[in-house]
Amino acid sequence: MIKALMAIGDQLSRRALKVFLILAAINGLTQGAALAALVPLLVSMFRRDTHGMWLWLVVLAVAALVNAIFVVLSSNHSFAVTVDVIRDMQGRLADHMVRLPLGWFGGNAQATASGIAVSGTMSVALTISDALIPVVTAVTVPIAVAIVALAFNWQIGLALVVAIPVVALVTRWGERRNAKAETGVHEAEFETDRRLLEFADQQVVLRSAGIHGTQYQPLADAIAARRRADRKSLWSSIVSMIPQRIVIDFVFGIAAGLGVLQAVSGDVDSVAIIAVIALTSQVINPLRVLAELLTTLRRAELQLDEVADVLNEPEMAVPEVSRAQPADNAVQLDHVVFGYGDRAPVLDGVDLELEPGTVTALVGPSGSGKTTVTRLIARFWDANQGAVRIGGVDVKDLSDEDRAAQLSLVFQDVYLFNESLRENIALGDPGASESEVLRAAELARVTPIAERIPGGWNGSVGESGKLLSGGERQRVSIARALLKKAPILLLDEATAALDGVTAKAIRTTIESLRGQVTVLIIAHQAETIANADRVAFLEHGRICALGTHQELFASNPRYAAFWSGRAQAQQWQLG
Ligand SMILES: Nc1ncnc2c1ncn2[C@@H]1O[C@H](COP(=O)(O)OP(=O)(O)OP(=O)(O)O)[C@@H](O)[C@H]1O
């Protein structure tokens, strides 16, 4: 675990960790020395040797005082190290995660990331503060005691010196044996947490399906698996503890037996023997708790492995400074091939050019890759082949700031922050004036929302915007995008949840941007598509037709069939 912590920490916290370990070791050694001073003290007392008694009493007092100082120092330092470790791990995780491709956040990765960044780092930090000092003490006290015993009675001392590595080996064996069960517990814990979060988050869906509590099978399964894993881990630790206990008791038995033999044969002072045997017993307790402490360390080590796994995920290479500046607000996809992970390509040679200031509608069957096109323009992922360019510059050559400045995005799944209505819009341009915010809000028809909700512009939208309707959330996110005034606007079904009148008003707003802003719009409403300068028809991973809606409808049978299908389904009159 120390090795893993050293690998993750920066130079400063590595140094702090080393100092902490040294302090903890001195703490253990001085504790052992204070205990050891009891042997000559007891012998002097029994021999009524006043000089010796005082001498060893002073030695004991000094050792106890030094130990007390190091207890305070190491405890104090453990607090500092704990804070450093949390800061370090969370800081490095945050810095790294913002540079990971967004694809990494799909599936379980998001739950993993929040689990690791919050509970994982906390549990590692708590292990340092609660378990590391006892572990170091459990190792150093027996060593100190064995050295002292060697000085007073070499036979017993030798038995301890030989026994300590044997006990350490048996303990290590037990801990390794437990490791598999511990990994099982860790995985089961993660799955239960993930299912519980899902269960809490998706209450609307579950209740509408009539599913309550443990009727939600994946959660019930996760809880049952966790119970099984806990039981397995408990048995595993009981089984591995037995040999450790036997070896420890055996060592104590041998030390006591040796002492008794020497006392009976009259070779050594029996008082000294009693004192050394009493001292030996002090080795037993730290060694016994060592096994439990190692299990705690093992759990922290698993968390650290996960932190390391996240940190080892390759980052997207983003230049600090753009290698060139976009010449205009054109967007170009040049023979782009892209697939999610190792799945078959979604886009298989997409060529598309959005001319500056034009409105292009991207249409195609569900799952054809329309959203994926917008994600590649925004560089949430990198294309496997081909290039995506903004103003003639490859998006890979733009810094995060320059790329973000070029784009405004409104996605299907709108996320609002648990802030006021005004703050949610102002996020689009934190430097915007009050009148600019209100103007963007007006254009996106947000004003009626401010008039309705308690608190008006300063009223809260609730967690993830849950106090607003789906259509209202979309309007706020459109206002946010309009406020940004970026030269390229990507809209992915941004008006899907709006009523006809509001959708028409927003369409008018978007059309008013024509000539200034390059707009790519994914929409299913016939009016939006019919009014676009050009329609790009995406099918089978390629743009297979490009032109106005009327041109494509007349010349491309696949497009005409696609629209006829939609019109039939939605009873639209087209063409
Ligand atoms: N994060 C992801 N990980 C893996 N596969 C994905 C991911 N996002 C989308 N896909 C897959 O990529 C394909 C294209 O998805 P995309 O969302 O781009 O299609 P779309 O044309 O926008 O669909 P729709 O019109 O239904 O919104 C789909 O088969 C989808 O399952």
Side-chain angles (χ1 to χ4, degrees), residues 340 343 346 365-372 375 381 412 493 524:
Y340 289 97
R343 298 183 184 191
V346 177
S366 177
S368 57
K370 302 179 293 294
T371 299
T372 306
R375 286 171 177 166
W381 279 268
Q412 225 169 339
E493 303 197 26
H524 296 296

Side-chain angles (χ1 to χ4, degrees), residues 348-364:
D348 196 12
V350 167
D351 288 303
L352 178 65
E353 231 175 300
L354 312 180
E355 284 167 20
T358 57
V359 178
T360 306
L362 184 61
V363 299

Side-chain angles (χ1 to χ4, degrees), residues 88-107:
D88 242 32
M89 285 200 290
Q90 291 189 336
R92 283 198 60 189
L93 281 169
D95 284 348
H96 185 69
M97 279 183 197
V98 293
R99 296 203 171 267
L100 288 177
L102 280 192
W104 185 83
F105 291 88

